Structures are given as structure tokens and as C-alpha cells.
Amino acid sequence: ETGVTQTPRHLVMGMTNKKSLKCEQHLGHNAMYWYKQSAKKPLELMFVYSLEERVENNSVPSRFSPECPNSSHLFLHLHTLQPEDSALYLCASSREQGSTEAFFGQGTRLTVV
Amino acid sequence: SQQGEEDPQALSIQEGENATMNCSYKTSINNLQWYRQNSGRGLVHLILIRSNEREKHSGRLRVTLDTSKKSSSLLITASRAADTASYFCATDQTGANNLFFGTGTRLTVIP
């Protein structure tokens, strides 16, 4: 148990659906991250929030839309996804952006059909 | 690419043996971290070594860092079946302010 909770753990959605992934941490961390993990590829950093402000968007398609309403919660809103977006989506947090240890949630296994 | 690269991609050993995994990277770093991931789960931080450190120990883990060769190794001694997982190195690169992960080494420890 790392202190970072992601829901749902599994999600199957059609290409025309809209869904949201949720991440929550009560560790008092100031930075939160979304990563995408696909088979046999490095973890891809998608978005970074520091003190609730988005500080990085790594060329992620607009069908992925992050939201950070407060320092404890992070969402990833999904709409009109493609089958190649199927992956494990991992949320992480750290005390400060960058150089400190990252705490990961268990991930959401997303399947787009 | 900013990511590190782990070597080997997969490693299978008998319980009780030592496991060594290597990581190479391309840019200057502030620190390098190793993480473990059980199948389909989140990553768990194992150990962090700073750029001015050469070796660090934590329980059965030993990490080395050679900044001149831009490489690190993770040694797990007296392996157990429960050590079966994927292991990733992550670099905190100077000026980038984010962690960059490699593709990982899949370790299987056979009881």
C-alpha cells in the first residue's frame, strides 16, 4: 500500500464512450503524474501537475484530458479513444516535482474495444 | 531517447542465487532510482542513489552507480521466489525535473 489509490482498477470502454480515471493521495505531496504503460515500451510520462498547476504535457492527444481540482486528487478524462490506447495507466505522486521518490498507484487497466 | 535501458530484458535464476540487472542512460543525472513492479500492478520504489554516490545497500539490495560510464547495476542477493517481478531504473536527469523510466528487466526466481 503506497498511499496512492486509483479507481477503477479495470475499465473496458467503447471508442465512443466518455470515462474518467481517478487518482487520490493523502501523503501531502505537491506533484502528481499520469503515466501510460504499454507492453514492451518504456513508461511514458503523460502529464505532470505541481501544486495543482499543469507543468508538463508530453504531446498527449487531446482525447486525454487531465484535471487536478486540488493537491490530493487527479483525474484523467477519456473520450473517443482508440484501441491502441489500451494500456495500464499509472498515477504517481512525489513530495516535489522531479528528484524525489515517486509513489505509484496500482494502475487502471484500460481496454478500448 | 531520454529513457534508461535495462539489461538483460529477462533473467531467470534459481532461488538462492544472486540476480544482477544493469541500467544505462545517456544524460547527466541528479540521481538514479530503482523500482519494482509485480505483474499488472503499480511500481514500488526500492532505492535511490545520488550522482555523488558510488554504492548503496538496502537489505539484500546493492546498487552501484558509475557516472563516467553512465551506468548502474542492481544486485539482489540470495534471491527468493517472491522477488519475481519486473525491475526498472529511473533517472532524474539534470534540468529535466522528471523521472524517465526504461523498459525494465523481467526477473523470474524459480523455487
mmCIF file of all heavy atoms in Angstrom, chain A residues 2 9 33 35 37 40-43 45 48 56 88 90 97-102 104-107 109, chain B residues 3-4 30-31 33 35 37 40-45 48 50 88 92 96-103:
data_model
loop_
_atom_site.group_PDB
_atom_site.id
_atom_site.type_symbol
_atom_site.label_atom_id
_atom_site.label_comp_id
_atom_site.label_asym_id
_atom_site.label_seq_id
_atom_site.Cartn_x
_atom_site.Cartn_y
_atom_site.Cartn_z
ATOM 1 N N THR A 2 0.833 1.998 -1.107
ATOM 2 C CA THR A 2 1.753 3.129 -1.240
ATOM 3 C C THR A 2 1.142 4.437 -0.786
ATOM 4 O O THR A 2 1.831 5.439 -0.692
ATOM 5 C CB THR A 2 2.171 3.292 -2.705
ATOM 6 O OG1 THR A 2 0.998 3.576 -3.497
ATOM 7 C CG2 THR A 2 2.837 2.030 -3.229
ATOM 8 N N ARG A 9 -9.932 -0.154 -11.083
ATOM 9 C CA ARG A 9 -8.750 -0.963 -11.363
ATOM 10 C C ARG A 9 -8.765 -1.490 -12.792
ATOM 11 O O ARG A 9 -7.711 -1.690 -13.399
ATOM 12 C CB ARG A 9 -8.683 -2.156 -10.392
ATOM 13 C CG ARG A 9 -8.394 -1.761 -8.950
ATOM 14 C CD ARG A 9 -6.965 -1.216 -8.783
ATOM 15 N NE ARG A 9 -5.960 -2.064 -9.393
ATOM 16 C CZ ARG A 9 -5.455 -3.137 -8.817
ATOM 17 N NH1 ARG A 9 -5.846 -3.502 -7.612
ATOM 18 N NH2 ARG A 9 -4.536 -3.862 -9.445
ATOM 19 N N TYR A 33 1.368 12.775 -11.188
ATOM 20 C CA TYR A 33 1.742 12.402 -12.547
ATOM 21 C C TYR A 33 0.771 11.357 -13.116
ATOM 22 O O TYR A 33 0.260 10.520 -12.376
ATOM 23 C CB TYR A 33 3.142 11.752 -12.560
ATOM 24 C CG TYR A 33 4.209 12.486 -11.796
ATOM 25 C CD1 TYR A 33 4.324 12.358 -10.415
ATOM 26 C CD2 TYR A 33 5.135 13.285 -12.453
ATOM 27 C CE1 TYR A 33 5.314 13.024 -9.715
ATOM 28 C CE2 TYR A 33 6.141 13.946 -11.764
ATOM 29 C CZ TYR A 33 6.215 13.806 -10.387
ATOM 30 O OH TYR A 33 7.206 14.460 -9.691
ATOM 31 N N TYR A 35 1.136 8.336 -15.998
ATOM 32 C CA TYR A 35 1.991 7.578 -16.887
ATOM 33 C C TYR A 35 1.145 6.562 -17.648
ATOM 34 O O TYR A 35 0.153 6.052 -17.134
ATOM 35 C CB TYR A 35 3.047 6.780 -16.109
ATOM 36 C CG TYR A 35 4.189 7.574 -15.536
ATOM 37 C CD1 TYR A 35 4.103 8.140 -14.272
ATOM 38 C CD2 TYR A 35 5.379 7.721 -16.249
ATOM 39 C CE1 TYR A 35 5.176 8.841 -13.729
ATOM 40 C CE2 TYR A 35 6.458 8.416 -15.711
ATOM 41 C CZ TYR A 35 6.338 8.969 -14.454
ATOM 42 O OH TYR A 35 7.393 9.658 -13.927
ATOM 43 N N GLN A 37 1.598 2.818 -19.505
ATOM 44 C CA GLN A 37 2.499 1.677 -19.659
ATOM 45 C C GLN A 37 1.901 0.700 -20.654
ATOM 46 O O GLN A 37 0.865 0.085 -20.393
ATOM 47 C CB GLN A 37 2.746 0.984 -18.318
ATOM 48 C CG GLN A 37 3.797 -0.113 -18.409
ATOM 49 C CD GLN A 37 4.103 -0.750 -17.075
ATOM 50 O OE1 GLN A 37 3.225 -0.899 -16.234
ATOM 51 N NE2 GLN A 37 5.354 -1.122 -16.858
ATOM 52 N N LYS A 40 6.092 -3.867 -23.523
ATOM 53 C CA LYS A 40 7.422 -3.775 -24.136
ATOM 54 C C LYS A 40 7.818 -2.367 -24.527
ATOM 55 O O LYS A 40 8.635 -2.183 -25.434
ATOM 56 C CB LYS A 40 7.512 -4.714 -25.347
ATOM 57 C CG LYS A 40 7.336 -6.168 -24.944
ATOM 58 C CD LYS A 40 7.537 -7.124 -26.085
ATOM 59 C CE LYS A 40 7.357 -8.542 -25.554
ATOM 60 N NZ LYS A 40 7.286 -9.534 -26.595
ATOM 61 N N LYS A 41 7.254 -1.383 -23.883
ATOM 62 C CA LYS A 41 7.652 0.009 -24.117
ATOM 63 C C LYS A 41 7.986 0.641 -22.778
ATOM 64 O O LYS A 41 7.437 0.239 -21.741
ATOM 65 C CB LYS A 41 6.520 0.791 -24.785
ATOM 66 C CG LYS A 41 6.235 0.346 -26.211
ATOM 67 C CD LYS A 41 5.029 1.045 -26.775
ATOM 68 C CE LYS A 41 5.288 2.494 -27.100
ATOM 69 N NZ LYS A 41 4.126 3.119 -27.789
ATOM 70 N N PRO A 42 8.864 1.635 -22.768
ATOM 71 C CA PRO A 42 9.136 2.323 -21.504
ATOM 72 C C PRO A 42 7.896 3.025 -20.992
ATOM 73 O O PRO A 42 7.005 3.367 -21.771
ATOM 74 C CB PRO A 42 10.210 3.352 -21.883
ATOM 75 C CG PRO A 42 10.742 2.914 -23.190
ATOM 76 C CD PRO A 42 9.642 2.184 -23.878
ATOM 77 N N LEU A 43 7.865 3.236 -19.702
ATOM 78 C CA LEU A 43 6.789 4.042 -19.119
ATOM 79 C C LEU A 43 6.792 5.413 -19.807
ATOM 80 O O LEU A 43 7.828 6.063 -19.894
ATOM 81 C CB LEU A 43 7.043 4.246 -17.634
ATOM 82 C CG LEU A 43 5.999 3.745 -16.659
ATOM 83 C CD1 LEU A 43 5.896 2.251 -16.729
ATOM 84 C CD2 LEU A 43 6.352 4.175 -15.242
ATOM 85 N N LEU A 45 5.655 9.198 -19.715
ATOM 86 C CA LEU A 45 5.120 10.265 -18.887
ATOM 87 C C LEU A 45 4.133 11.069 -19.719
ATOM 88 O O LEU A 45 4.475 11.565 -20.789
ATOM 89 C CB LEU A 45 6.259 11.166 -18.403
ATOM 90 C CG LEU A 45 5.882 12.361 -17.529
ATOM 91 C CD1 LEU A 45 5.233 11.902 -16.232
ATOM 92 C CD2 LEU A 45 7.112 13.205 -17.244
ATOM 93 N N VAL A 48 2.167 16.140 -15.918
ATOM 94 C CA VAL A 48 2.720 16.440 -14.611
ATOM 95 C C VAL A 48 1.983 17.639 -14.029
ATOM 96 O O VAL A 48 1.808 18.655 -14.719
ATOM 97 C CB VAL A 48 4.225 16.780 -14.684
ATOM 98 C CG1 VAL A 48 4.774 17.052 -13.294
ATOM 99 C CG2 VAL A 48 4.999 15.666 -15.367
ATOM 100 N N GLU A 56 3.538 20.041 -17.324
ATOM 101 C CA GLU A 56 4.054 19.306 -18.465
ATOM 102 C C GLU A 56 2.942 18.521 -19.142
ATOM 103 O O GLU A 56 2.102 17.910 -18.483
ATOM 104 C CB GLU A 56 5.163 18.343 -18.021
ATOM 105 C CG GLU A 56 6.009 17.836 -19.152
ATOM 106 C CD GLU A 56 7.452 17.619 -18.728
ATOM 107 O OE1 GLU A 56 7.930 18.255 -17.774
ATOM 108 O OE2 GLU A 56 8.103 16.790 -19.373
ATOM 109 N N LEU A 88 -1.966 0.079 -19.367
ATOM 110 C CA LEU A 88 -2.074 0.293 -17.920
ATOM 111 C C LEU A 88 -1.752 1.760 -17.656
ATOM 112 O O LEU A 88 -0.682 2.236 -18.033
ATOM 113 C CB LEU A 88 -1.092 -0.620 -17.182
ATOM 114 C CG LEU A 88 -1.113 -0.556 -15.653
ATOM 115 C CD1 LEU A 88 -2.425 -1.120 -15.104
ATOM 116 C CD2 LEU A 88 0.067 -1.327 -15.060
ATOM 117 N N LEU A 90 -0.981 4.582 -15.008
ATOM 118 C CA LEU A 90 -0.463 4.680 -13.649
ATOM 119 C C LEU A 90 -0.424 6.129 -13.194
ATOM 120 O O LEU A 90 0.037 7.011 -13.923
ATOM 121 C CB LEU A 90 0.956 4.098 -13.575
ATOM 122 C CG LEU A 90 1.065 2.592 -13.794
ATOM 123 C CD1 LEU A 90 2.489 2.199 -14.122
ATOM 124 C CD2 LEU A 90 0.591 1.844 -12.565
ATOM 125 N N GLN A 97 8.195 18.004 -7.466
ATOM 126 C CA GLN A 97 8.365 17.505 -8.816
ATOM 127 C C GLN A 97 9.808 17.093 -9.043
ATOM 128 O O GLN A 97 10.729 17.839 -8.697
ATOM 129 C CB GLN A 97 7.985 18.577 -9.832
ATOM 130 C CG GLN A 97 8.028 18.076 -11.265
ATOM 131 C CD GLN A 97 7.908 19.190 -12.279
ATOM 132 O OE1 GLN A 97 7.698 20.340 -11.917
ATOM 133 N NE2 GLN A 97 8.051 18.867 -13.541
ATOM 134 N N GLY A 98 9.982 15.916 -9.603
ATOM 135 C CA GLY A 98 11.276 15.525 -10.145
ATOM 136 C C GLY A 98 12.141 14.648 -9.273
ATOM 137 O O GLY A 98 12.149 13.448 -9.420
ATOM 138 N N SER A 99 12.890 15.227 -8.354
ATOM 139 C CA SER A 99 14.044 14.495 -7.842
ATOM 140 C C SER A 99 13.777 13.572 -6.671
ATOM 141 O O SER A 99 14.675 12.883 -6.226
ATOM 142 C CB SER A 99 15.137 15.478 -7.439
ATOM 143 O OG SER A 99 14.678 16.283 -6.391
ATOM 144 N N THR A 100 12.578 13.532 -6.179
ATOM 145 C CA THR A 100 12.309 12.686 -5.026
ATOM 146 C C THR A 100 11.590 11.409 -5.441
ATOM 147 O O THR A 100 11.075 11.281 -6.546
ATOM 148 C CB THR A 100 11.476 13.433 -3.976
ATOM 149 O OG1 THR A 100 10.273 13.890 -4.587
ATOM 150 C CG2 THR A 100 12.239 14.628 -3.438
ATOM 151 N N GLU A 101 11.554 10.486 -4.508
ATOM 152 C CA GLU A 101 10.918 9.200 -4.718
ATOM 153 C C GLU A 101 9.465 9.363 -5.148
ATOM 154 O O GLU A 101 8.731 10.188 -4.591
ATOM 155 C CB GLU A 101 10.979 8.421 -3.404
ATOM 156 C CG GLU A 101 10.182 7.145 -3.349
ATOM 157 C CD GLU A 101 10.159 6.582 -1.943
ATOM 158 O OE1 GLU A 101 10.903 7.083 -1.083
ATOM 159 O OE2 GLU A 101 9.377 5.643 -1.711
ATOM 160 N N ALA A 102 9.056 8.578 -6.143
ATOM 161 C CA ALA A 102 7.673 8.608 -6.619
ATOM 162 C C ALA A 102 6.898 7.441 -6.014
ATOM 163 O O ALA A 102 7.409 6.329 -5.901
ATOM 164 C CB ALA A 102 7.628 8.543 -8.140
ATOM 165 N N PHE A 104 3.542 5.195 -6.511
ATOM 166 C CA PHE A 104 2.617 4.844 -7.579
ATOM 167 C C PHE A 104 1.348 4.200 -7.044
ATOM 168 O O PHE A 104 1.368 3.464 -6.049
ATOM 169 C CB PHE A 104 3.273 3.851 -8.552
ATOM 170 C CG PHE A 104 4.232 4.489 -9.515
ATOM 171 C CD1 PHE A 104 5.529 4.792 -9.126
ATOM 172 C CD2 PHE A 104 3.834 4.780 -10.808
ATOM 173 C CE1 PHE A 104 6.418 5.383 -10.016
ATOM 174 C CE2 PHE A 104 4.715 5.367 -11.714
ATOM 175 C CZ PHE A 104 6.007 5.665 -11.311
ATOM 176 N N GLY A 105 0.252 4.455 -7.747
ATOM 177 C CA GLY A 105 -0.963 3.702 -7.510
ATOM 178 C C GLY A 105 -0.879 2.352 -8.200
ATOM 179 O O GLY A 105 0.107 2.033 -8.875
ATOM 180 N N GLN A 106 -1.915 1.531 -8.019
ATOM 181 C CA GLN A 106 -1.926 0.186 -8.583
ATOM 182 C C GLN A 106 -2.249 0.174 -10.070
ATOM 183 O O GLN A 106 -2.113 -0.849 -10.729
ATOM 184 C CB GLN A 106 -2.944 -0.692 -7.847
ATOM 185 C CG GLN A 106 -2.660 -0.857 -6.376
ATOM 186 C CD GLN A 106 -1.574 -1.887 -6.116
ATOM 187 O OE1 GLN A 106 -0.592 -1.979 -6.855
ATOM 188 N NE2 GLN A 106 -1.728 -2.668 -5.072
ATOM 189 N N GLY A 107 -2.704 1.304 -10.571
ATOM 190 C CA GLY A 107 -2.972 1.399 -12.005
ATOM 191 C C GLY A 107 -4.398 1.053 -12.378
ATOM 192 O O GLY A 107 -5.116 0.371 -11.632
ATOM 193 N N ARG A 109 -6.213 -0.750 -15.561
ATOM 194 C CA ARG A 109 -6.032 -1.494 -16.816
ATOM 195 C C ARG A 109 -7.177 -1.104 -17.744
ATOM 196 O O ARG A 109 -8.317 -1.456 -17.501
ATOM 197 C CB ARG A 109 -6.038 -2.986 -16.541
ATOM 198 C CG ARG A 109 -6.061 -3.866 -17.788
ATOM 199 C CD ARG A 109 -4.799 -3.734 -18.622
ATOM 200 N NE ARG A 109 -3.617 -4.207 -17.920
ATOM 201 C CZ ARG A 109 -2.382 -4.118 -18.393
ATOM 202 N NH1 ARG A 109 -2.171 -3.533 -19.552
ATOM 203 N NH2 ARG A 109 -1.378 -4.584 -17.709
ATOM 204 N N GLN B 3 15.092 7.927 -22.009
ATOM 205 C CA GLN B 3 14.893 6.831 -21.071
ATOM 206 C C GLN B 3 16.170 6.042 -20.859
ATOM 207 O O GLN B 3 17.052 6.000 -21.704
ATOM 208 C CB GLN B 3 13.821 5.867 -21.592
ATOM 209 C CG GLN B 3 12.414 6.330 -21.362
ATOM 210 C CD GLN B 3 11.864 7.159 -22.487
ATOM 211 O OE1 GLN B 3 12.562 7.425 -23.448
ATOM 212 N NE2 GLN B 3 10.629 7.577 -22.390
ATOM 213 N N GLY B 4 16.222 5.389 -19.690
ATOM 214 C CA GLY B 4 17.304 4.447 -19.444
ATOM 215 C C GLY B 4 16.994 3.130 -20.132
ATOM 216 O O GLY B 4 15.881 2.896 -20.582
ATOM 217 N N ASN B 30 20.790 13.780 -11.610
ATOM 218 C CA ASN B 30 20.858 14.161 -10.198
ATOM 219 C C ASN B 30 20.859 12.912 -9.331
ATOM 220 O O ASN B 30 21.554 12.842 -8.324
ATOM 221 C CB ASN B 30 19.662 15.038 -9.821
ATOM 222 C CG ASN B 30 19.632 16.319 -10.606
ATOM 223 O OD1 ASN B 30 20.647 17.002 -10.759
ATOM 224 N ND2 ASN B 30 18.461 16.661 -11.134
ATOM 225 N N ASN B 31 20.025 11.961 -9.701
ATOM 226 C CA ASN B 31 20.009 10.684 -9.009
ATOM 227 C C ASN B 31 19.442 9.608 -9.914
ATOM 228 O O ASN B 31 18.890 9.900 -10.989
ATOM 229 C CB ASN B 31 19.219 10.766 -7.690
ATOM 230 C CG ASN B 31 17.726 11.006 -7.904
ATOM 231 O OD1 ASN B 31 17.033 10.192 -8.503
ATOM 232 N ND2 ASN B 31 17.227 12.127 -7.395
ATOM 233 N N GLN B 33 17.119 5.926 -9.619
ATOM 234 C CA GLN B 33 16.265 5.158 -8.708
ATOM 235 C C GLN B 33 15.935 3.805 -9.328
ATOM 236 O O GLN B 33 15.855 3.680 -10.556
ATOM 237 C CB GLN B 33 14.971 5.936 -8.428
ATOM 238 C CG GLN B 33 15.215 7.332 -7.866
ATOM 239 C CD GLN B 33 13.939 8.130 -7.674
ATOM 240 O OE1 GLN B 33 12.885 7.569 -7.398
ATOM 241 N NE2 GLN B 33 14.039 9.444 -7.804
ATOM 242 N N TYR B 35 13.021 0.696 -9.208
ATOM 243 C CA TYR B 35 11.661 0.374 -8.814
ATOM 244 C C TYR B 35 11.377 -1.083 -9.170
ATOM 245 O O TYR B 35 11.982 -1.655 -10.075
ATOM 246 C CB TYR B 35 10.645 1.269 -9.560
ATOM 247 C CG TYR B 35 10.608 2.695 -9.102
ATOM 248 C CD1 TYR B 35 11.598 3.600 -9.499
ATOM 249 C CD2 TYR B 35 9.605 3.159 -8.265
ATOM 250 C CE1 TYR B 35 11.557 4.922 -9.077
ATOM 251 C CE2 TYR B 35 9.568 4.480 -7.841
ATOM 252 C CZ TYR B 35 10.545 5.346 -8.254
ATOM 253 O OH TYR B 35 10.513 6.647 -7.822
ATOM 254 N N GLN B 37 8.040 -3.833 -9.997
ATOM 255 C CA GLN B 37 6.637 -3.907 -10.366
ATOM 256 C C GLN B 37 6.216 -5.361 -10.459
ATOM 257 O O GLN B 37 6.759 -6.126 -11.270
ATOM 258 C CB GLN B 37 6.382 -3.221 -11.722
ATOM 259 C CG GLN B 37 4.917 -3.210 -12.120
ATOM 260 C CD GLN B 37 4.672 -2.575 -13.488
ATOM 261 O OE1 GLN B 37 5.503 -2.672 -14.380
ATOM 262 N NE2 GLN B 37 3.551 -1.892 -13.644
ATOM 263 N N GLY B 40 1.197 -6.358 -13.632
ATOM 264 C CA GLY B 40 -0.033 -5.592 -13.749
ATOM 265 C C GLY B 40 -0.335 -4.666 -12.591
ATOM 266 O O GLY B 40 -1.450 -4.179 -12.472
ATOM 267 N N ARG B 41 0.649 -4.423 -11.735
ATOM 268 C CA ARG B 41 0.425 -3.562 -10.580
ATOM 269 C C ARG B 41 1.261 -2.286 -10.692
ATOM 270 O O ARG B 41 1.947 -2.062 -11.671
ATOM 271 C CB ARG B 41 0.820 -4.317 -9.295
ATOM 272 C CG ARG B 41 0.215 -5.688 -9.152
ATOM 273 C CD ARG B 41 -1.258 -5.629 -8.853
ATOM 274 N NE ARG B 41 -1.564 -5.157 -7.531
ATOM 275 C CZ ARG B 41 -1.762 -5.956 -6.483
ATOM 276 N NH1 ARG B 41 -1.653 -7.249 -6.612
ATOM 277 N NH2 ARG B 41 -2.064 -5.435 -5.313
ATOM 278 N N GLY B 42 1.189 -1.461 -9.660
ATOM 279 C CA GLY B 42 1.977 -0.238 -9.661
ATOM 280 C C GLY B 42 3.435 -0.493 -9.333
ATOM 281 O O GLY B 42 3.820 -1.584 -8.925
ATOM 282 N N LEU B 43 4.251 0.522 -9.529
ATOM 283 C CA LEU B 43 5.678 0.419 -9.231
ATOM 284 C C LEU B 43 5.934 0.785 -7.780
ATOM 285 O O LEU B 43 5.283 1.679 -7.233
ATOM 286 C CB LEU B 43 6.482 1.358 -10.131
ATOM 287 C CG LEU B 43 6.772 0.877 -11.546
ATOM 288 C CD1 LEU B 43 5.532 0.895 -12.413
ATOM 289 C CD2 LEU B 43 7.871 1.713 -12.172
ATOM 290 N N VAL B 44 6.882 0.100 -7.193
ATOM 291 C CA VAL B 44 7.256 0.371 -5.809
ATOM 292 C C VAL B 44 8.723 0.774 -5.768
ATOM 293 O O VAL B 44 9.580 0.082 -6.328
ATOM 294 C CB VAL B 44 7.023 -0.879 -4.925
ATOM 295 C CG1 VAL B 44 7.511 -0.615 -3.500
ATOM 296 C CG2 VAL B 44 5.553 -1.260 -4.928
ATOM 297 N N HIS B 45 8.993 1.893 -5.112
ATOM 298 C CA HIS B 45 10.359 2.393 -5.021
ATOM 299 C C HIS B 45 11.211 1.473 -4.159
ATOM 300 O O HIS B 45 10.785 1.038 -3.079
ATOM 301 C CB HIS B 45 10.321 3.790 -4.399
ATOM 302 C CG HIS B 45 11.651 4.434 -4.286
ATOM 303 N ND1 HIS B 45 12.426 4.362 -3.142
ATOM 304 C CD2 HIS B 45 12.364 5.166 -5.167
ATOM 305 C CE1 HIS B 45 13.542 5.029 -3.337
ATOM 306 N NE2 HIS B 45 13.529 5.529 -4.550
ATOM 307 N N LEU B 48 17.313 4.710 -3.945
ATOM 308 C CA LEU B 48 17.750 5.891 -4.689
ATOM 309 C C LEU B 48 19.225 6.081 -4.433
ATOM 310 O O LEU B 48 19.683 5.988 -3.282
ATOM 311 C CB LEU B 48 16.956 7.120 -4.217
ATOM 312 C CG LEU B 48 17.231 8.481 -4.852
ATOM 313 C CD1 LEU B 48 15.978 9.362 -4.751
ATOM 314 C CD2 LEU B 48 18.396 9.211 -4.199
ATOM 315 N N ARG B 50 22.361 8.833 -5.293
ATOM 316 C CA ARG B 50 22.623 10.174 -5.820
ATOM 317 C C ARG B 50 23.844 10.153 -6.726
ATOM 318 O O ARG B 50 24.678 9.255 -6.651
ATOM 319 C CB ARG B 50 22.814 11.156 -4.667
ATOM 320 C CG ARG B 50 21.603 11.234 -3.768
ATOM 321 C CD ARG B 50 21.651 12.373 -2.776
ATOM 322 N NE ARG B 50 20.559 12.262 -1.813
ATOM 323 C CZ ARG B 50 19.292 12.536 -2.087
ATOM 324 N NH1 ARG B 50 18.941 12.947 -3.288
ATOM 325 N NH2 ARG B 50 18.366 12.401 -1.156
ATOM 326 N N PHE B 88 12.797 -1.754 -12.757
ATOM 327 C CA PHE B 88 13.018 -0.603 -13.624
ATOM 328 C C PHE B 88 14.011 0.355 -12.988
ATOM 329 O O PHE B 88 13.955 0.593 -11.781
ATOM 330 C CB PHE B 88 11.715 0.167 -13.839
ATOM 331 C CG PHE B 88 10.647 -0.594 -14.561
ATOM 332 C CD1 PHE B 88 9.827 -1.480 -13.883
ATOM 333 C CD2 PHE B 88 10.463 -0.426 -15.920
ATOM 334 C CE1 PHE B 88 8.837 -2.194 -14.549
ATOM 335 C CE2 PHE B 88 9.473 -1.130 -16.589
ATOM 336 C CZ PHE B 88 8.654 -2.014 -15.903
ATOM 337 N N ASP B 92 16.644 10.704 -12.766
ATOM 338 C CA ASP B 92 16.263 12.098 -12.552
ATOM 339 C C ASP B 92 17.336 12.920 -13.253
ATOM 340 O O ASP B 92 18.430 13.093 -12.722
ATOM 341 C CB ASP B 92 16.210 12.401 -11.062
ATOM 342 C CG ASP B 92 16.051 13.880 -10.780
ATOM 343 O OD1 ASP B 92 15.478 14.598 -11.620
ATOM 344 O OD2 ASP B 92 16.515 14.326 -9.714
ATOM 345 N N ALA B 96 15.779 18.359 -16.253
ATOM 346 C CA ALA B 96 14.512 17.849 -16.781
ATOM 347 C C ALA B 96 13.420 17.839 -15.728
ATOM 348 O O ALA B 96 12.255 17.972 -16.048
ATOM 349 C CB ALA B 96 14.700 16.450 -17.343
ATOM 350 N N ASN B 97 13.801 17.628 -14.464
ATOM 351 C CA ASN B 97 12.847 17.691 -13.358
ATOM 352 C C ASN B 97 11.751 16.651 -13.424
ATOM 353 O O ASN B 97 10.667 16.852 -12.907
ATOM 354 C CB ASN B 97 12.224 19.093 -13.292
ATOM 355 C CG ASN B 97 12.081 19.549 -11.861
ATOM 356 O OD1 ASN B 97 12.745 19.020 -10.970
ATOM 357 N ND2 ASN B 97 11.234 20.518 -11.638
ATOM 358 N N ASN B 98 12.003 15.547 -14.112
ATOM 359 C CA ASN B 98 11.061 14.432 -14.148
ATOM 360 C C ASN B 98 11.849 13.133 -14.139
ATOM 361 O O ASN B 98 13.041 13.133 -14.427
ATOM 362 C CB ASN B 98 10.198 14.478 -15.412
ATOM 363 C CG ASN B 98 9.138 15.553 -15.341
ATOM 364 O OD1 ASN B 98 8.457 15.692 -14.336
ATOM 365 N ND2 ASN B 98 8.999 16.321 -16.406
ATOM 366 N N LEU B 99 11.168 12.056 -13.822
ATOM 367 C CA LEU B 99 11.795 10.741 -13.863
ATOM 368 C C LEU B 99 11.566 10.094 -15.218
ATOM 369 O O LEU B 99 10.462 10.160 -15.760
ATOM 370 C CB LEU B 99 11.210 9.830 -12.781
ATOM 371 C CG LEU B 99 11.596 10.112 -11.336
ATOM 372 C CD1 LEU B 99 10.883 9.140 -10.412
ATOM 373 C CD2 LEU B 99 13.101 10.034 -11.153
ATOM 374 N N PHE B 100 12.606 9.476 -15.759
ATOM 375 C CA PHE B 100 12.494 8.762 -17.027
ATOM 376 C C PHE B 100 12.802 7.290 -16.781
ATOM 377 O O PHE B 100 13.872 6.959 -16.265
ATOM 378 C CB PHE B 100 13.440 9.360 -18.061
ATOM 379 C CG PHE B 100 13.059 10.759 -18.436
ATOM 380 C CD1 PHE B 100 13.589 11.840 -17.754
ATOM 381 C CD2 PHE B 100 12.153 11.002 -19.452
ATOM 382 C CE1 PHE B 100 13.218 13.145 -18.083
ATOM 383 C CE2 PHE B 100 11.789 12.297 -19.796
ATOM 384 C CZ PHE B 100 12.317 13.368 -19.102
ATOM 385 N N PHE B 101 11.884 6.441 -17.168
ATOM 386 C CA PHE B 101 11.986 5.009 -16.899
ATOM 387 C C PHE B 101 12.411 4.251 -18.147
ATOM 388 O O PHE B 101 12.130 4.657 -19.274
ATOM 389 C CB PHE B 101 10.629 4.463 -16.448
ATOM 390 C CG PHE B 101 10.213 4.900 -15.073
ATOM 391 C CD1 PHE B 101 9.644 6.151 -14.864
ATOM 392 C CD2 PHE B 101 10.390 4.064 -13.984
ATOM 393 C CE1 PHE B 101 9.269 6.556 -13.600
ATOM 394 C CE2 PHE B 101 9.994 4.461 -12.709
ATOM 395 C CZ PHE B 101 9.436 5.701 -12.515
ATOM 396 N N GLY B 102 13.057 3.098 -17.905
ATOM 397 C CA GLY B 102 13.389 2.198 -19.003
ATOM 398 C C GLY B 102 12.286 1.180 -19.208
ATOM 399 O O GLY B 102 11.188 1.302 -18.664
ATOM 400 N N THR B 103 12.597 0.160 -20.014
ATOM 401 C CA THR B 103 11.617 -0.889 -20.326
ATOM 402 C C THR B 103 11.617 -1.998 -19.286
ATOM 403 O O THR B 103 10.725 -2.826 -19.272
ATOM 404 C CB THR B 103 11.886 -1.512 -21.700
ATOM 405 O OG1 THR B 103 13.270 -1.881 -21.763
ATOM 406 C CG2 THR B 103 11.581 -0.533 -22.820
#
